[in-house]
Structures are given as structure tokens and as C-alpha cells.
Amino acid sequence: MGNPQEIIDLRADDIIRNHVLLSLGAAFVPVPLLDLVAVSAVQLDMCRLLAKNYKVEFKEELGKSVISSIAGTAVARYGASLAKTIPGIGSILGGISMSALSGATTFAIGQVFKRHFGGGGDLFDFNLDKAKKIFEEELEKGKKVAQELEKMRHSKPEDKKEEEPAGARPEPDKSGKAKEVFDQLERLAELRDKGVVTEEEFQVQKDKLLASL
């Protein structure tokens, strides 16, 4: 077993990975700009959990402000949603799928917060210029990570399809499934915020929903 800091950092990696997966699903929401809201909510939840992991105070409005300042209005963050309003490029933008682009952005933001909180920082002392540079660097890595996770997620249905006779089972509606998962996550979050379920119970159920995407 590693030292306490290594364990904390590994837990942060798990938080980021889970939320990259959530972002991949959010990009399947078929309504322009609705996916942006979903991905933004995923990113905010990720940063909240990273703050908790590093025992840093988290304020939602300040968290939103920091995320927005780091990612800005770059195509890297919003292109997936905006592309849906332009005929002909609804599934691919700049050689990368919409879902992978959303996942890459979430990965990059997660890495910025992990490095900042891991270095002893908090929400009040971000060097935004430095954070933006880290974001751009990590975004390139995030594209590869998101594309790999996307391939892994799609491989299981494809494998099953090969084993079944042609036409035996219709292709699953991924956009509908993603919206259903996010609706359930939203309801779970409301129950958590009201104290009906604990944070631990919320995380267990969230992981189960993620696995179903």
C-alpha cells in the first residue's frame, strides 16, 4: 500500500475517470445546449468531490466561476453542443467525437483541480493564467483518455452483437439511455441534498448508473 498522499491522489484519479465517463454519456443528450448543462453539472460535481478528497472547502458558485474561467468559452468545452445545431457535423468536430470532446474537457479540468488541491491550494488562490496553461496541456491527454474510454464502453455491445444472429436485437438507443441515467442522477442528487440518502449511498448508486452507460 502506498503512502497516504499516493492513496489520496489515486482516489482523485478514480473521481476524474468516473466523471469523464459521465461526460461521455452527457454528450449523447440529443438536444442542443442541454448536453452543455449536463456536462457542466458533471464537472462541478467532480470538482466538489476532488475538494472533499483533498479536504478543501468547496463553494458551488465559486467552483462554477473557477471552472468557467479555466475553460472559458473555448470550442473544446462547448463545441460538442454547438455542433448539434450545424447540419452535417453533429457527430464529429475536429476529428474527435462530441462525447470524447466533452470527456477530454472534463479530464483536463479534473487534472487542474487535482494538481492545485494536491499542492495545498484551495478555491480562493487559483492562479488562473497557470491553470489555463495546465488545462490546455491536459486537454490533449484528455482526448486520448476519452477516446480510449469511449472505445471500451462501445466494445461490449459490439461483442454481443457479433454473437447474435443479424436482426436478433435492435441497436440500443444510447441518447435515450444517457438521458435516463442523468435524470436518475439528478433525482439522487436531490435526495442527497435533502439528507434522504448519505453521500456514500449516493456514490454507490452513481457508480452503478455509470456502469450501465
Side-chain angles (χ1 to χ4, degrees):
M1 183 178 293
N3 61 48
Q5 186 60 45
E6 288 177 340
I7 294 172
I8 292 172
D9 289 340
L10 286 173
R11 196 156 54 224
D13 289 336
D14 285 340
I15 291 170
I16 294 170
R17 182 180 184 278
N18 284 342
H19 286 77
V20 169
L21 284 167
L22 271 174
S23 293
L24 293 177
F28 280 118
V29 178
V31 181
L33 300 182
L34 179 58
D35 63 328
L36 171 59
V37 174
V39 172
S40 296
V42 168
Q43 292 169 353
L44 187 65
D45 182 63
M46 172 183 67
C47 294
R48 180 182 62 80
L49 291 178
L50 286 172
K52 181 179 179 181
N53 183 54
Y54 287 101
K55 299 188 183 331
V56 173
E57 181 183 5
F58 186 80
K59 293 185 178 296
E60 183 170 319
E61 289 305 315
L62 184 54
K64 289 179 181 178
S65 177
V66 172
I67 292 171
S68 178
S69 297
I70 291 171
T73 56
V75 172
R77 187 170 181 220
Y78 298 120
S81 185
L82 296 179
K84 291 181 180 177
T85 67
I86 305 173
I89 61 168
S91 59
I92 299 293
L93 185 69
I96 183 172
S97 72
M98 293 185 298
S99 59
L101 189 60
S102 298
T105 307
T106 300
F107 175 87
I109 290 173
Q111 292 300 323
V112 170
F113 276 76
K114 174 189 172 184
R115 287 166 66 168
H116 183 67
F117 291 158
D122 57 35
L123 278 178
F124 301 92
D125 63 358
F126 263 95
N127 180 327
L128 292 178
D129 288 335
K130 180 180 178 181
K132 288 175 184 177
K133 289 180 181 178
I134 295 173
F135 172 81
E136 293 297 334
E137 293 170 1
E138 295 293 342
L139 184 62
E140 293 306 310
K141 298 177 185 176
K143 289 178 183 178
K144 297 178 182 178
V145 171
Q147 286 174 318
E148 286 301 315
L149 289 174
E150 195 174 40
K151 288 178 183 177
M152 288 173 60
R153 190 183 62 175
H154 292 168
S155 64
K156 291 183 179 179
E158 291 172 1
D159 291 343
K160 290 181 180 179
K161 187 176 179 182
E162 289 177 1
E163 296 173 2
E164 296 172 352
R169 182 180 300 178
E171 185 70 17
D173 182 355
K174 294 172 184 173
S175 63
K177 178 63 177 178
K179 188 177 185 306
E180 179 185 341
V181 167
F182 277 95
D183 286 344
Q184 292 182 50
L185 280 171
E186 186 176 26
R187 289 194 291 272
L188 269 174
E190 290 175 356
L191 291 173
R192 178 198 61 196
D193 294 341
K194 292 177 181 178
V196 178
V197 299
T198 66
E199 178 64 32
E200 289 72 20
E201 290 169 336
F202 171 77
Q203 292 303 322
V204 169
Q205 294 303 316
K206 185 179 78 172
D207 289 343
K208 288 182 180 178
L209 289 170
L210 270 175
S212 70
L213 285 174

